């Protein structure tokens, strides 16, 4: 087992080189388990549907500290747009290129190296260390972390502290740590009309005209003003489709997709009800298929927050900003059980983009930050 200064880069390259487009794992979890088992971790492989997950734990005491992350990545997109093949890790100009380099295989590598170094120096540490790893974060997120959390609850396991390795940093490593996330609520709307000739609108029913005002009302509505921790709730239409392609045909159906990003001033139940009421006012026949919501979560200042901010300050000399911005993460499944959850990872400027990359100079500091957090929480 290597824990030299180049170990984090070596592991990150190995993980990036394993194609793992969601929900595929591509062998990443095998690599991680092979690293953790000699360190004294007991591993439970948890496959749900097509999704591979694992739970690895060292120790039985409390507090229980968990590193959480995902091995799956988004599709690379057009291969000819990449400067180098997305699943052939390439180092050039001080950066590691490849799909998943920033989101979030470098974090996984840093976690492994941090734990190895920590255990070497503190074999009889307080509490327990665990890993919760899934291959279903970038996909539907149904058979991944959410199912593992249910399994933990059924087995009477409670998490005290959780560090998620999502790429939180904005311009330099550690400048932003996320202490929460907005909720996400998506839906697909179908509006029924009556197809007909545009010259005879009295014999048809145009679903576009019927719901356009209601949709515009939802877009323009001030749902709230946010609060001290979260920005205002927003409603965004991401897709609308109707018609046959002919300019002289009134469409018989409209479909639309939309999303709420909401704060703790709102609930999914309330947003669903308000949306239904606005659309019902149109008089059109419609159906809404709601996706399972991601709930907002917030970790109040406490021991985990202090430990992470100290680690960033100690390693990088940065006073980190605490934020609830960005998209969603699997922290939304872990926080409701009572755990303190914080996200700390690489710079996020290239995630999900062509030529995704991470600065090599950030890898070892990230591993040292993670190790420092363990020392702060699990060493007296």
């Amino acid at each position: 087992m290597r824990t030299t200064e180049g170990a984090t880069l070596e592991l990150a390259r190995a993980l990036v080189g394993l194609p793992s487009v969601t929900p595929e794992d591509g062998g990443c979890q095998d690599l991680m388990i092979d690293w953790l088992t000699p360190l004294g971790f007991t591993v439970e492989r948890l496959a749900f549907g097509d999704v591979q997950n694992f739970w690895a734990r060292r120790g039985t005491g409390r507090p229980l500290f968990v590193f959480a992350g995902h091995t799956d990545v988004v599709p690379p997109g057009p291969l000819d747009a990449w400067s180098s093949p997305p699943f052939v890790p390439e180092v050039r100009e001080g950066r590691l290129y490849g799909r998943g380099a920033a989101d979030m295989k470098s974090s996984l590598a840093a976690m492994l190296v941090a734990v190895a170094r920590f255990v070497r120096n503190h074999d009889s540490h307080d509490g327990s260390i665990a890993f919760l790893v899934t291959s279903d974060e970038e996909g539907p997120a149904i058979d991944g972390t959410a199912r593992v959390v249910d399994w933990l609850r059924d087995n009477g396991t409670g998490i005290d502290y959780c560090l998620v390795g999502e790429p939180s940093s904005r311009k330099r490593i550690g400048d932003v740590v996320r202490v929460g996330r907005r909720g996400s609520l998506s839906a697909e709307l179908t509006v029924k009309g009556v197809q007909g000739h545009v010259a005879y609108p009295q014999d048809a029913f145009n679903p576009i005209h019927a719901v356009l005002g209601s949709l515009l009302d939802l877009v323009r509505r001030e749902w709230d003003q946010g609060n001290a921790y979260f920005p205002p709730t927003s409603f965004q239409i991401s897709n609308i489709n109707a018609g046959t392609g002919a300019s002289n045909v009134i469409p018989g159906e409209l479909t639309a997709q939309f999303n709420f990003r909401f704060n703790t001033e709102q609930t999914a139940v309330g947003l669903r009800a308000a949306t239904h009421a606005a659309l019902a006012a149109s008089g059109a026949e419609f159906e809404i298929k709601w996706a399972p919501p991601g709930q907002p979560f917030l970790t109040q200042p406490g021991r985990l927050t202090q430990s992470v901010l100290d680690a960033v300050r100690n390693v990088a000399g940065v006073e980190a900003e605490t934020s609830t911005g960005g998209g969603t993460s699997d922290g939304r499944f872990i926080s409701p059980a009572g755990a303190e959850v914080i996200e700390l990872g690489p710079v996020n400027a290239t995630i999900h983009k062509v030529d995704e990359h991470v600065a090599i100079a950030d890898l070892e500091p990230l591993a040292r930050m993670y190790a420092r957090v363990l020392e702060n929480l699990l060493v007296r």
Side-chain angles (χ1 to χ4, degrees):
M1 178 183 305
R2 292 187 59 189
T3 55
T4 62
E5 284 298 301
T8 310
L9 173 59
E10 180 182 336
L11 275 169
R13 292 183 67 168
L15 289 167
V16 170
L18 297 171
S20 56
V21 175
T22 190
E24 296 298 322
D25 167 68
C28 295
Q29 293 182 25
D30 287 339
L31 185 156
M32 296 184 70
I33 290 168
D34 287 346
W35 181 276
L36 291 170
T37 302
L39 296 175
F41 282 81
T42 300
V43 178
E44 297 274 0
R45 294 179 183 266
L46 303 167
F48 300 113
D50 295 329
V51 175
Q52 301 299 313
N53 310 286
F54 79 83
W55 170 258
R57 180 169 180 171
R58 185 183 199 271
T60 59
R62 303 288 289 267
L64 172 56
F65 175 91
V66 175
F67 282 116
H70 62 90
T71 56
D72 60 319
V73 300
V74 297
L79 299 182
D80 58 1
W82 285 71
S83 300
S84 54
F87 296 111
V88 178
E90 181 168 312
V91 173
R92 62 179 187 272
E93 298 178 346
R95 301 181 181 93
L96 170 64
Y97 285 82
R99 176 57 86 220
D103 187 14
M104 55 173 287
K105 292 184 175 182
S106 291
S107 296
L108 297 177
M111 291 172 181
L112 294 173
V113 170
V115 165
R117 292 174 179 163
F118 176 77
V119 168
R120 181 183 62 196
N121 295 325
H122 307 283
D123 182 63
S124 301
H125 57 81
D126 294 343
S128 305
I129 309 169
F131 278 73
L132 193 170
V133 179
T134 182
S135 65
D136 184 35
E137 196 274 344
E138 301 289 7
I142 294 172
D143 289 324
T145 299
R147 292 287 299 273
V148 177
V149 169
D150 288 343
W151 178 84
L152 291 171
R153 182 197 61 227
D154 293 343
N155 285 275
T157 300
I159 298 173
D160 297 294
Y161 308 117
C162 179
L163 195 156
V164 185
E166 290 291 347
S168 65
S169 302
R170 186 177 297 128
K171 293 183 178 179
R172 57 177 296 188
I173 189 73
D175 62 356
V176 176
V177 298
R178 303 208 185 277
V179 295
R181 295 275 191 160
R182 292 175 295 173
S184 177
L185 178 62
S186 296
E188 182 173 304
L189 168 69
T190 302
V191 182
K192 297 296 183 182
V194 177
Q195 184 172 308
H197 197 291
V198 295
Y200 306 99
Q202 70 276 11
D203 296 327
F205 183 80
N206 192 321
I208 301 175
H209 294 180
V211 300
L212 201 58
S214 295
L215 290 174
L216 193 57
D217 170 63
L218 292 168
V219 170
R220 291 177 172 174
R221 185 179 303 189
E222 182 181 78
W223 296 92
D224 53 63
Q225 295 183 339
N227 55 36
Y229 300 101
F230 292 95
T233 295
S234 68
F235 173 89
Q236 293 292 319
I237 299 170
S238 54
N239 187 46
I240 292 182
N241 184 56
T244 64
S247 63
N248 60 351
V249 178
I250 292 172
E253 184 177 275
L254 174 146
T255 60
Q257 294 174 313
F258 58 83
N259 175 269
F260 285 97
R261 290 300 163 102
F262 63 102
N263 54 47
T264 48
E265 303 294 315
Q266 305 290 337
T267 66
V269 171
L271 294 173
R272 289 192 196 104
T275 303
H276 191 278
L279 292 167
S282 71
E285 179 185 351
F286 65 92
E287 178 185 10
I288 306 177
K289 294 182 179 178
W290 295 97
Q295 300 295 341
F297 74 91
L298 176 67
T299 295
Q300 297 287 353
R303 194 172 176 209
L304 178 60
T305 306
Q306 294 170 359
S307 296
V308 172
L309 295 179
D310 169 80
V312 172
R313 187 183 305 114
N314 179 270
V315 174
V318 172
E319 292 296 331
E321 171 192 345
T322 57
S323 169
T324 59
T328 60
S329 79
D330 277 0
R332 68 190 189 271
F333 302 121
I334 301 168
S335 177
E340 294 180 33
V341 180
I342 280 190
E343 299 174 19
L344 170 62
V347 173
N348 59 25
T350 64
I351 62 174
H352 293 206
K353 294 183 180 180
V354 168
D355 282 349
E356 179 181 351
H357 61 265
V358 64
I360 294 171
D362 289 346
L363 299 182
E364 288 302 324
L366 186 59
R368 291 199 296 272
M369 289 177 193
Y370 290 163
R372 175 82 176 193
V373 172
L374 290 172
E375 291 169 356
N376 287 341
L377 293 172
L378 303 181
V379 178
R380 296 180 187 177

